[in-house]
Amino acid sequence: MWGSELRRVQRLVSEDMAGRIGHARPVPDSVLLVLSRSEDERVTWMQDACEQWGWPSRVITTTERMQWAASVLRPAAVVLLDGGKEWNIEVIETVRPSTAAPMVILGALTADRALLALRRGVDAIVPSGLSAEETLARIYAMIRRSTEILAPSTRYLDAGPIRLDLWRSVLFLDGTPVHLTTIEIKLLAFLMRNAGTTLHPHRIIDHVWQQSHGVGGENALRIAVRRLRQKLRDDARHPAVIEAVRGRGYRFLPTVVEVADEARASSVRHEQVELLDDIASLASKIASHKDRRHISALLVEHLVASGFADAAAVHEVSGDHLVLRAHRGLSEGWIESVREVPLDEGYATARVVSAGEPVQLSASVKSYRMTRAVLKGEDPGSYLFLPIEVSGEVRACVGVVRRSSRNFDTGSLAYLRAALAVIAAGWTPQSAQPLIE
């Protein structure tokens, strides 16, 4: 059977050239992690099928290595080749805490075994005996859906004392777990992913309840918001977390930062420690410059040359506008569009100046329409904006870019804050001319 299905995949690849399944492709830089008890014909079949479809794949047969693989490889999806009830559960419990990627079991499971696996963290059961075309298409459907909802490396949404663990569906308030219902989790996650944006009730209902809106839906939303506020200790009369905008909807007020899983973050901590050593070098360079233009140029050069970011830029506050002072790694079109921008909170930079807190953008965040319009022609990636604060006042904003799904975690934020503190020490009140004339 496996040989005949492989030939079917080969035929479909040819048809793909004509566009039949051209849309059904995951991102090429994410691996399909295949977990099996042993190297058997199913493993060979999966590897060959993935190769024919152009999917990178990695097979792991040692249980002790599975958690490492799920954490470090950042898979697009995890496929368990059914190895029996006990083995399946052991692997699920080992791997699930280390990845938010879709997890499926490929095999002929009884109803009881399937329900048990789903309860333990599997997202779907793909029965054996399907064609390779349908098997891979089902897996990709889950990959596509998961990437629309959540950046692969994001586990937490942080907003001051609020931390939402997206993988475990747990809210922490000042470090203390707070029980939320499934609806409350979905509602809070949706509001936090769109922080700063007023969301119409119909849009919230469509997303959270996945049903058409109506009087009943709006009543359910009001009840859910009221209960969520109570659990967040937020006063509806003077809200600090969830604001009701009359006639328009609801808005999550605090700045939200997406944070990678700590297990994954640990793999780059050594790199971050080395980057901290660069701050002394940065300080010595700045010591010989008093012009903000040159200091800005030194900062963006340092961030890109060190490998910390792929691109960076600095905007300085000038009246009710932000003026571009330095940049590296961004396109000419971007430069032209942001030489000078208003302090309009449709821009993430303006939000940083007004709130004095960092803003991180990724595919899952839909707010800051002006910034997204400017970045529309740029390569995809993770974007982080932070304030440069001098004597208690935000004087400028630095934006850093990574052209990958690798988000800026807590270690990255600590490094940047330290670097910007050094920059602030050399930021003088004298006037500076824009770097780009």
Side-chain angles (χ1 to χ4, degrees), residues 6 31 45 54 100 113 119 185 192 201 211 263 267-268 306 321 329 333 368 383 403 405:
L6 178 57
V31 300
W45 181 78
R113 287 182 57 206
R119 291 193 187 105
I185 286 284
M192 292 184 75
Q211 65 183 35
S267 67
V268 296
S306 68
H321 283 72
Y368 308 108
Y383 294 79
R403 306 291 190 194
S405 60

Side-chain angles (χ1 to χ4, degrees), residues 138-308:
R138 287 190 182 201
I139 293 171
Y140 180 53
M142 285 182 287
I143 294 173
R144 183 179 57 211
R145 179 60 180 155
S146 69
T147 54
E148 288 173 354
I149 297 173
L150 180 64
S153 59
T154 300
R155 176 168 183 174
Y156 304 103
L157 297 177
D158 279 2
I162 299 169
R163 163 165 280 200
L164 182 60
D165 186 333
L166 295 166
W167 296 10
R168 294 172 55 202
S169 295
V170 175
L171 169 67
F172 294 91
L173 191 60
D174 287 320
T176 302
V178 177
H179 173 72
L180 296 183
T181 65
T182 301
I183 287 296
E184 289 165 350
I185 286 284
K186 293 178 69 175
L187 174 59
L188 179 58
F190 190 51
L191 291 171
M192 292 184 75
R193 289 193 185 109
N194 293 276
T197 299
T198 301
L199 300 173
H200 193 279
H202 295 174
R203 184 179 171 193
I204 299 173
I205 293 165
D206 290 344
H207 181 87
V208 175
W209 281 269
Q210 296 183 339
Q211 65 183 35
S212 59
H213 50 268
V215 176
E218 294 193 21
N219 286 338
L221 174 59
R222 281 192 288 270
I223 292 170
V225 168
R226 184 176 71 248
R227 291 175 176 171
L228 184 55
R229 277 174 168 160
Q230 291 172 348
K231 294 180 179 181
L232 292 170
R233 299 198 290 271
D234 190 33
D235 187 347
R237 294 169 298 179
H238 306 286
V241 181
I242 300 174
E243 178 185 30
V245 183
R246 184 178 295 275
R248 295 177 58 195
Y250 297 94
R251 178 168 58 198
F252 192 85
L253 296 174
T255 298
V256 174
V257 176
E258 295 182 9
V259 182
D261 174 45
E262 289 300 319
R264 291 175 177 174
S266 65
S267 67
V268 296
R269 282 178 184 152
H270 179 68
E271 172 192 348
Q272 293 166 349
V273 169
E274 291 179 346
L275 288 174
L276 289 174
D277 294 335
D278 293 341
I279 292 179
S281 173
L282 180 62
S284 66
K285 293 176 184 176
I286 289 172
S288 60
H289 293 279
K290 297 300 182 182
D291 188 301
R292 299 197 297 273
R293 180 189 63 182
H294 288 103
I295 289 175
S296 299
L298 284 170
L299 175 62
V300 299
E301 176 72 24
H302 177 80
L303 293 174
V304 176
S306 68
F308 181 85

Side-chain angles (χ1 to χ4, degrees), residues 388-407:
I388 298 177
E389 189 172 336
V390 182
S391 301
E393 181 181 353
V394 177
R395 301 288 183 84
C397 174
V398 59
V400 288
V401 184
R402 284 177 176 168
R403 306 291 190 194
S404 70
S405 60
R406 184 166 60 108
N407 279 358

Side-chain angles (χ1 to χ4, degrees), residues 74 151-154 258 260 308-312 330 359-365 372 375 379-385 399-409 416:
R74 301 184 182 184
S153 59
T154 300
E258 295 182 9
F308 181 85
D310 297 305
L330 290 152
V359 169
Q360 183 163 197
L361 300 183
S362 67
S364 62
V365 181
R372 290 206 167 276
L375 295 175
D379 294 330
S382 296
Y383 294 79
L384 179 64
F385 304 88
V400 288
V401 184
R402 284 177 176 168
R403 306 291 190 194
S404 70
S405 60
R406 184 166 60 108
N407 279 358
F408 296 91
D409 55 27
L416 280 170

Side-chain angles (χ1 to χ4, degrees), residues 18-50:
R20 177 177 174 182
I21 56 173
H23 65 285
R25 295 297 173 88
V27 290
D29 60 346
S30 299
V31 300
L32 184 69
L33 184 59
V34 180
L35 308 179
S36 177
R37 294 193 75 160
S38 62
E39 293 274 359
D40 56 29
E41 65 175 3
R42 297 177 304 166
V43 170
T44 303
W45 181 78
M46 282 295 300
Q47 287 178 309
D48 289 343
C50 287

Side-chain angles (χ1 to χ4, degrees), residues 76-132:
V78 179
V79 178
L80 282 66
L81 302 182
D82 181 24
K85 177 181 177 180
E86 310 286 329
W87 184 85
N88 289 351
I89 296 305
E90 178 186 1
V91 171
I92 294 167
E93 292 181 344
T94 297
V95 173
R96 182 75 282 176
S98 298
T99 180
M103 183 182 295
V104 306
I105 294 181
L106 181 58
L109 275 64
T110 63
D112 288 344
R113 287 182 57 206
L115 286 172
L116 178 60
L118 291 167
R119 291 193 187 105
R120 295 300 178 90
V122 164
D123 297 292
I125 312 297
V126 178
S128 56
L130 297 177
S131 67

